[in-house]
Amino acid sequence: FPAHPHRGFITVTYILKGGLVHRDSLGVKQTYGAETRHDGKHTQWLTAGAGVLHEEMWDIQQPGMFFKPSPQELFQLWLNLPARDKMISPKVQLLGGEEETPTVITMENSNMNTDEDARMTAKSKNVENDKIATKTIVIAGEHSGKRGSVVTQTDVSILHVQIMEPNVTWTHILPESHKTAIIYVRRGSIYVGEERVPAHYTAYLKSHGTNLSVTSDPKSSSKSNNDQPIADFILLAGEPINEPIMPQGSMVMNYPNEINQAYQDYQTGKMGIPWDHTVSDEDWKAHTERYPSFYKEGKDLFYVQSAVNNLKEWSNKEDAEVSKRGNDV
């Protein structure tokens, strides 16, 4: 995905296999994913706000990878921003590890979860009867007293849940404000109440009550090892914004005139000027320093004036090139 613009929302990219290399018009480069080389940073939280360009390319340039398959699997979620925050300064951060995206573990024969005792029990070879029942990675929001570190503009939860054995029930208490709740089943099948939800289906939950129970299919075959889940799903829940919404292409605003303004701002270079995805990091860095997003956090009057001057120079070059092509016809 070469350089492209966003305004008015957040992209949450959660990688399950493989990885991505990100570069943007703020001058930020990040490499993240699910492989050992990514040091546990599996999620990118990109707040586009007023506007940013970014590029997302597969992270497959590794020694010995030539002509070898590089499996990739990810979720990319778009979270709307309320009107008051649609024009905030863009920013990007990586998430992963227990401090930022804690994992909640429950055991089949125990009430333990998340604490060191549960982890030691899960690793112990001396306790045959204690098996991991569920694992929950908290990307955002809270589950069983553990909270993701990311600060959100609205009240949302993103939970990745794995149920490790057949006929095991996972429970979660939804905040009363979370009137929207969606489950997407990645693997296996689950029951929500009496309703069976198979793999690759999406369940939209009713907006009454706060106690959610999800049970793995009792007919699923038990795994011989405890590493592969019987059921795997993601829960998305949050408080409705209750505002008009106008999405178009890569922009999400409230009204059509705001969408038109967003694309005008992109076309005049206010979000930055696109670069070729094949350029070196050195050339990309020089490009984004010369043609940055106007909306970069901490900008001052000198920064804005310099960016305006550079855009005028760029625009004049573009006009001259168009004129030359016209004369050549």
Side-chain angles (χ1 to χ4, degrees):
F1 309 94
H4 57 280
H6 290 307
R7 171 179 282 180
F9 67 105
I10 295 167
T11 66
V12 182
T13 308
Y14 174 39
I15 298 182
L16 303 169
K17 296 178 184 177
L20 287 173
V21 180
H22 159 103
R23 299 191 297 190
D24 63 36
S25 57
L26 305 175
V28 175
K29 178 181 178 181
Q30 295 176 332
T31 302
Y32 63 104
E35 309 305 321
T36 303
R37 64 183 179 273
H38 299 125
D39 296 324
K41 299 298 183 182
H42 49 62
T43 299
Q44 183 194 69
W45 193 281
L46 171 61
T47 304
V52 66
L53 306 185
H54 79 136
E55 139 193 301
E56 302 163 285
M57 309 304 292
W58 301 119
D59 178 33
I60 57 175
Q61 301 301 318
Q62 297 296 316
M65 288 294 290
F66 192 60
F67 289 139
K68 291 185 179 180
S70 178
Q72 305 284 335
E73 184 180 2
L74 60 85
F75 290 106
Q76 186 170 91
L77 311 171
W78 287 21
L79 301 184
N80 193 17
L81 283 169
R84 67 176 184 270
D85 293 324
K86 285 189 177 292
M87 294 300 289
I88 61 176
S89 295
K91 63 179 180 179
V92 59
Q93 58 186 309
L94 294 184
L95 304 173
E98 287 302 307
E99 294 298 317
E100 296 165 340
T101 57
T103 300
V104 177
I105 296 174
T106 63
M107 311 303 293
E108 276 192 7
N109 299 317
S110 170
N111 293 323
M112 295 183 292
N113 59 37
T114 72
D115 57 22
E116 190 62 24
D117 289 339
R119 295 184 185 283
M120 292 302 293
T121 301
K123 295 178 180 179
S124 174
K125 296 181 180 179
N126 298 322
V127 186
E128 279 188 20
N129 294 328
D130 281 276
K131 292 183 179 180
I132 295 176
T134 68
K135 296 179 182 178
T136 306
I137 300 175
V138 184
I139 307 297
E142 184 177 354
H143 175 68
S144 292
K146 293 294 182 179
R147 174 171 288 277
S149 67
V150 68
V151 177
T152 62
Q153 276 71 29
T154 57
D155 187 9
V156 298
S157 292
I158 303 173
L159 307 177
H160 178 198
V161 181
Q162 296 181 325
I163 303 179
M164 309 307 292
E165 295 290 333
N167 201 29
V168 169
T169 297
W170 175 84
T171 61
H172 177 66
I173 300 176
L174 290 160
E176 290 188 7
S177 62
H178 285 196
K179 302 302 182 185
T180 299
I182 301 168
I183 288 176
Y184 173 77
V185 182
R186 175 179 172 237
R187 179 182 297 163
S189 59
I190 60 172
Y191 281 85
V192 182
E194 300 298 319
E195 195 76 26
R196 182 177 181 269
V197 187
H200 310 307
Y201 274 65
T202 302
Y204 295 85
L205 307 184
K206 295 180 179 179
S207 60
H208 61 78
T210 59
N211 295 327
L212 173 63
S213 296
V214 177
T215 302
S216 56
D217 192 337
K219 297 179 182 179
S220 299
S221 298
S222 180
K223 300 289 184 180
S224 58
N225 69 65
N226 209 28
D227 293 331
Q228 295 299 317
I230 290 293
D232 187 317
F233 64 91
I234 191 165
L235 171 67
L236 313 173
E239 180 179 3
I241 296 176
N242 292 325
E243 293 177 352
I245 185 169
M246 177 58 62
Q248 183 173 315
S250 60
M251 315 291 189
V252 181
M253 301 301 289
N254 295 103
Y255 299 101
N257 64 302
E258 295 172 338
I259 288 289
N260 294 338
Q261 185 64 53
Y263 279 102
Q264 181 179 332
D265 290 345
Y266 163 58
Q267 290 163 359
T268 55
K270 291 184 178 178
M271 300 179 190
I273 302 296
W275 57 92
D276 191 289
H277 70 277
T278 62
V279 302
S280 67
D281 286 346
E282 183 180 359
D283 289 343
W284 156 77
K285 194 71 172 178
H287 177 91
T288 55
E289 286 175 356
R290 188 167 184 80
Y291 306 116
S293 170
F294 269 39
Y295 311 106
K296 186 175 181 178
E297 190 172 21
K299 63 186 179 298
D300 54 24
L301 184 60
F302 174 80
Y303 172 95
V304 172
Q305 188 58 55
S306 176
V308 168
N309 292 338
N310 289 336
L311 279 177
K312 285 180 179 178
E313 180 184 335
W314 171 80
S315 181
N316 290 337
K317 286 181 180 178
E318 288 289 298
D319 290 343
E321 183 64 26
V322 170
S323 178
K324 181 178 182 299
R325 287 198 298 266
N327 292 333
D328 290 341
V329 174

